[in-house]
Each structure stands twice: as structure tokens, then as C-alpha cells.
Amino acid sequence: MARGGTRDYDVRHHGPADVVLLIEIADFYHLGRLRGEKRSLYASAGVPIYWIVDTGAACVEVYERPRGGSYSSTCLVPRSGAIDLIVDGTLWGCLDVAAILP
């Protein structure tokens, strides 16, 4: 999810400062890369919210507040839980994890 509208990106691609939420869908074989290399890359770039939807464990890993190449806030939300999506201090909504899992 990026800030602005589609017209904002007619002449350029969005960059890390434009991204407010990045979501990756993972299976067992890709979790290591997503939790390691990619998570560090996104934190270093300043992506404020990063989710890993773990289809095998039926949960969502939520990473927030990037600092120094890592995220200072992390939590694991099970299928029965919900995630508040707060962007720039504003609550955009609440998402039931079961709604996004297979």
C-alpha cells in the first residue's frame, strides 16, 4: 500500500518513503528469506509496517517501527485475532486475520 493515488506514479515508481504497508505471503520454503534478508532490507529502507502472512502456521507476523535496520515492534497474530492498521498515527481499520488466510 503506497501513499497517494495512481496518478502520483504516472511518471515515477513509488519508493520506500511512499510505502505505508508491505505484505508478503509466505509458505514454509520462503519464510527464512522473508524473516531475514527481506525484513532487514525493508527496515533499512524505512518501510513503516511489514506483514508476513504465514499460510502454514495460519498467522500474520506484524513488524513495525523500523530503526537501525530492524523493527522495534513485532507481534504474531493468530487466525482468531485481528490487526489494527494504524498509518501515521491514524487508525485506518481493523482486519480479521481469518479474512486473509486460506
Side-chain angles (χ1 to χ4, degrees):
M1 181 182 320
R3 289 180 169 85
T6 55
R7 308 282 287 157
D8 295 325
Y9 304 106
D10 281 348
V11 294
R12 71 175 181 91
H13 290 288
H14 59 276
D18 301 311
V19 177
V20 295
L21 169 64
L22 197 146
I23 302 171
E24 300 256 28
I25 310 300
D27 58 20
F28 175 79
Y29 299 104
H30 296 99
L31 278 172
R33 184 167 184 252
L34 297 180
R35 288 177 178 151
E37 172 188 346
K38 290 186 112 179
R39 183 176 64 189
S40 295
L41 177 70
Y42 299 146
S44 295
V47 173
I49 305 169
Y50 174 47
W51 292 359
I52 298 174
V53 178
D54 183 345
T55 59
C59 64
V60 177
E61 299 175 20
V62 177
Y63 300 94
E64 299 176 316
R65 294 192 276 293
R67 286 193 181 88
S70 63
Y71 286 94
S72 62
S73 174
T74 64
C75 70
L76 184 69
V77 184
R79 176 185 292 278
S80 61
I83 305 169
D84 285 338
L85 179 57
I86 300 171
V87 177
D88 298 331
T90 301
L91 178 64
W92 284 21
C94 183
L95 180 66
D96 289 328
V97 172
I100 59 174
L101 288 170

